[in-house]
Amino acid sequence: MRTFVAVVPYPEVLDKIDRVQKRIAPELGNFRRDIKWVKPEDAHITLAFLGEVADNNLQSVCDIVRNSVTGRADFTMSLRGTGTFGKNAHTFWAGVTKGAEELKALREAVCRPLAEKGFFSPSKRFEPHITLARIKSPRPARIIKSIDRSLKKQSFGSCPVESVCVFTSELTKKGPEYTLAAQYFFAGPQ
């Protein structure tokens, strides 16, 4: 099953994401088929996308993640501004400002042992973000880039990062459906 490791923001941040998405979606109404908005309840910061993991290996993945986060201290992250990935803005995202370095360290702590056991292959540079929308064609790129410029200072709020989740994902016609396989809490504030 498709598996990934992620940090899930607090509901207050997800509510802010929802409000911003609803505010800007009408500007992209002509491109409704070209844009897939991420449901706020599915928003997360992916630390590691593992791809297909056999059912009998899921517990091993969960054990590795649990061991890699045990004893870590909570920290606060803040999300501000937006950006795009790709020449044609194929991914529209909200960025992490405060807590970005801590998320990078957390990712390293989780991914290193997963890679050592063959569950993860590090590829590109990690940029902590929450995907707001996926753009399926280059047609709306100009409008997305214009919206991006207008949202450079948009705050999506702050929240503690206290845990890491392991999710499985099933692709459906309506988009991916996530199932929480495990959630591991840190040691608490230090």
Side-chain angles (χ1 to χ4, degrees), residues 100-117:
E101 292 306 313
E102 290 90 339
L103 283 166
K104 289 176 183 179
L106 177 59
R107 179 182 192 259
E108 175 65 21
V110 168
C111 291
R112 188 177 345 97
L114 287 170
E116 288 170 1
K117 296 293 184 182

Side-chain angles (χ1 to χ4, degrees), residues 4-15 17 38-48 75-79 96 103 106 126 129-131 156-168 178-186:
F4 65 94
V5 181
V7 168
V8 177
Y10 272 39
E12 299 81 29
V13 171
L14 300 178
D15 289 343
I17 288 171
V38 173
K39 295 182 281 190
E41 62 270 20
D42 289 340
H44 60 272
I45 297 168
T46 302
L47 298 176
F75 59 94
T76 299
M77 71 174 173
S78 298
L79 290 101
V96 175
L103 283 166
L106 177 59
F126 176 63
H129 69 280
I130 293 177
T131 300
F156 293 93
S158 297
C159 67
V161 176
E162 305 168 315
S163 67
V164 169
C165 300
V166 177
F167 287 95
T168 59
Y178 303 142
T179 301
L180 179 65
Q183 182 174 16
Y184 300 109
F185 288 87
F186 305 159

